[in-house]
Amino acid sequence: MREYKEIKIESTTNLGAGVAPLPDGNGKRLFVWGAVDGDTVDVKITDERASFAEGEILRVVSPSPHRIAPDCGAFTAGCGGCLFRHMTYEHETALKKSFIESAFRREGIEVDAEDVIPSPSETRSKATVSLDGNGNSGYFKRSTHDVVPCGRCMIHDAETDEIRAFVTADAKNRGVNIRRMSVRRAEYGTSVTFFTDTQGDALCGGLHSLAAAMTERFPDVVCVYAAFKARGRETYRRILGEKYIKDRLGLCEFIVSPPSFYQVNRASARILYDTAADMASLSGGDMVADLYCGTGTVGIYAARRLYNEAGGRVKLLGIEIIPDAVSNAKANAELNGVDAEFRVGRAETSDFSGADIVFLDPPRAGCGRELISHLLAARPEKIVYISCAPATLARDAKALLAGGYEIRRVAPVDMFPRSGHVETAVLMSRGK
């Protein structure tokens, strides 16, 4: 493959590649993995397609002012758990703001996003790693399914890594098949989920013995599940301990079972929920719909905050397709003294007419046309849209703008430090 000298990197993608024009490439873009905008590098081309090329750094001729020495050997070895350990955190958050604005610009919308609110903690409260069966666990190398061995991971807390190391070694010793494992840390306990290939793997005695040994070694682990594919869907089975763990965010307490969605960064989640509550600016008597509500955290948090600050109460309706999450949401409403109704169902076909404010927190694929039409028919006064995918957020915002809404605020929160992901809360209200 060809080599080029002194390529000037012009920008950085959310996938961790620096971007430059390919010399003599007739307009092709060159993606250089591990490069930072502002770098001047010598590059070796590793792949070339009709519209772009990929390359790797042979030498950093002149480093970007944003470049720093990586603080993790696994990152240097190509671990895909982090993408931005080679740049300052200040530049990372600036890039994430630009990713959001660029996504809106591609939809023909100019927005002035607020500065990204930094995460108070680099470590995540939930970590999901892969095991290769050879005594290694960690994240995959970019573009492969090869696990990059990692002893101390910078985005885990110390006990998460201790649990991971124990399970990895014990699973190998017992011959237990675990493809992935997830560790969730909360205020009042830790849950661990083992992802296996089959129901037989999930029910095998070796896995149960491993779980018992793990909970003896780590008393904080109070909830252990196994997950396996059944009829094309992930199925969860409790194998030891409690049905759920309990967490605290601000004045609220939430129970969370392993199948249910819950934000992966507790410290940033509280910032995100406060931001969403500020945007909603609830008043007593408001009708509030929380769509894709998961365990009910966003709506309950905002409703509880209103009650604590002003004594006001709202009518809260939550819609979620996962039954376990709805069960958690009902318990969470009771736990926090919030009057709410939670239903199992699709947001796209559920009745939330009459809602004054709608919270939206859809999966990465966004809302889709069916729900957008449903929202435009319901015409809530405000929509607070929370998203971890700027592209689908901007696409859905464009459809809502066409339906008569206006964007009032775009507030990014860094939920995933050192990755290319960013969480964004957008306030939209009906135009005059």
Side-chain angles (χ1 to χ4, degrees):
M1 286 290 188
R2 302 187 307 281
E3 297 180 4
Y4 292 101
K5 301 288 187 182
E6 298 191 5
I7 298 293
K8 181 71 173 179
I9 303 299
E10 297 179 346
S11 60
T12 305
T13 73
N14 66 333
L15 297 177
V19 186
L22 179 67
D24 307 319
N26 296 320
K28 284 185 184 179
R29 291 197 299 171
L30 171 62
F31 296 91
V32 184
W33 301 103
V36 182
D37 46 303
D39 279 343
T40 300
V41 292
D42 293 343
V43 177
K44 177 183 178 181
I45 303 301
T46 56
D47 189 22
E48 188 166 354
R49 309 289 179 89
S51 58
F52 68 92
E54 296 183 3
E56 62 183 28
I57 296 174
L58 294 175
R59 182 172 70 103
V60 177
V61 179
S62 174
S64 165
H66 310 300
R67 176 177 282 279
I68 59 174
D71 55 359
C72 175
F75 174 82
T76 305
C79 174
C82 295
L83 295 177
F84 294 148
R85 303 209 76 86
H86 60 318
M87 67 175 66
T88 65
Y89 185 53
E90 291 75 16
H91 187 57
E92 176 187 331
T93 55
L95 282 176
K96 288 176 175 179
K97 176 180 176 178
S98 73
F99 296 157
I100 295 164
E101 292 178 337
S102 294
F104 276 88
R105 198 171 297 118
R106 285 192 293 273
E107 296 291 346
I109 307 167
E110 290 293 330
V111 297
D112 184 14
E114 297 170 12
D115 289 342
V116 176
I117 301 175
S119 173
S121 171
E122 188 171 304
T123 59
R124 302 176 190 176
S125 47
K126 181 184 179 183
T128 301
V129 297
S130 297
L131 285 71
D132 65 4
N134 296 316
N136 297 312
S137 64
Y139 296 95
F140 289 141
K141 189 173 184 178
R142 184 181 60 83
S143 303
T144 76
H145 286 91
D146 298 331
V147 173
V148 178
C150 178
R152 181 70 182 93
C153 179
M154 306 299 288
I155 57 174
H156 301 168
D157 69 12
E159 184 155 328
T160 293
D161 272 342
E162 290 172 10
I163 294 170
R164 174 171 66 94
F166 179 91
V167 170
T168 302
D170 205 48
K172 181 183 178 184
N173 293 337
R174 296 176 188 270
V176 173
N177 176 34
I178 300 174
R179 292 183 292 107
R180 291 179 292 135
M181 66 174 292
S182 176
V183 180
R184 183 184 289 284
R185 308 269 285 147
E187 183 84 6
Y188 305 112
T190 298
S191 69
V192 174
T193 302
F194 303 122
F195 294 85
T196 66
D197 287 324
T198 66
Q199 183 174 1
D201 290 333
L203 297 177
C204 78
L207 186 65
H208 286 249
S209 297
L210 185 156
M214 175 186 65
T215 54
E216 183 177 357
R217 169 68 177 79
F218 301 98
D220 280 352
V221 178
V222 297
C223 171
V224 185
Y225 275 66
F228 54 91
K229 285 289 180 66
R231 297 179 181 177
R233 299 187 65 178
E234 203 95 74
T235 300
Y236 287 76
R237 179 167 301 209
R238 181 164 56 103
I239 60 175
L240 196 66
E242 305 294 333
K243 290 183 178 180
Y244 50 76
I245 54 175
K246 186 187 290 187
D247 196 20
R248 171 176 286 278
L249 288 180
L251 296 169
C252 290
E253 291 185 343
F254 298 111
I255 64 169
V256 185
S257 59
S260 304
F261 172 78
Y262 191 72
Q263 296 288 355
V264 303
N265 184 326
R266 297 174 59 235
S268 289
R270 181 175 179 183
I271 295 171
L272 177 67
Y273 293 169
D274 274 326
T275 301
D278 288 343
M279 289 179 170
S281 189
L282 300 181
S283 299
D286 280 344
M287 293 186 64
V288 181
D290 188 356
L291 308 184
Y292 307 100
C293 69
T295 56
T297 51
V298 177
I300 290 171
Y301 188 96
R304 180 69 194 185
R305 204 182 81 163
L306 171 68
Y307 178 77
N308 278 81
E309 292 178 352
R313 290 190 178 274
V314 300
K315 298 176 182 178
L316 175 63
L317 169 66
I319 308 293
E320 169 59 49
I321 199 167
I322 299 174
D324 278 345
V326 172
S327 295
N328 288 173
K330 291 177 179 178
N332 285 332
E334 184 175 353
L335 187 63
N336 291 284
V338 172
D339 296 326
E341 177 186 358
F342 289 96
R343 302 175 188 164
V344 177
R346 296 177 65 242
E348 293 81 357
T349 56
S350 296
D351 180 15
F352 53 87
S353 57
D356 301 297
I357 294 101
V358 169
F359 290 111
L360 284 176
D361 192 358
R364 295 187 63 81
C367 294
R369 294 180 181 179
E370 188 178 7
L371 181 55
I372 295 294
S373 298
H374 210 20
L375 282 164
L376 294 177
R379 290 183 58 77
E381 184 64 32
K382 297 176 186 175
I383 297 172
V384 179
Y385 193 141
I386 298 171
S387 172
C388 62
T392 54
L393 168 64
R395 178 203 66 197
D396 292 345
K398 180 178 181 179
L400 291 167
L401 286 171
Y405 281 83
E406 297 178 356
I407 295 174
R408 303 298 185 186
R409 281 185 68 189
V410 179
V413 177
D414 193 15
M415 191 73 65
F416 314 94
R418 295 321 200 183
S419 80
H421 300 295
V422 61
E423 203 85 11
T424 312
V426 174
L427 171 62
M428 303 189 74
S429 62
R430 286 208 310 254
K432 295 180 180 179

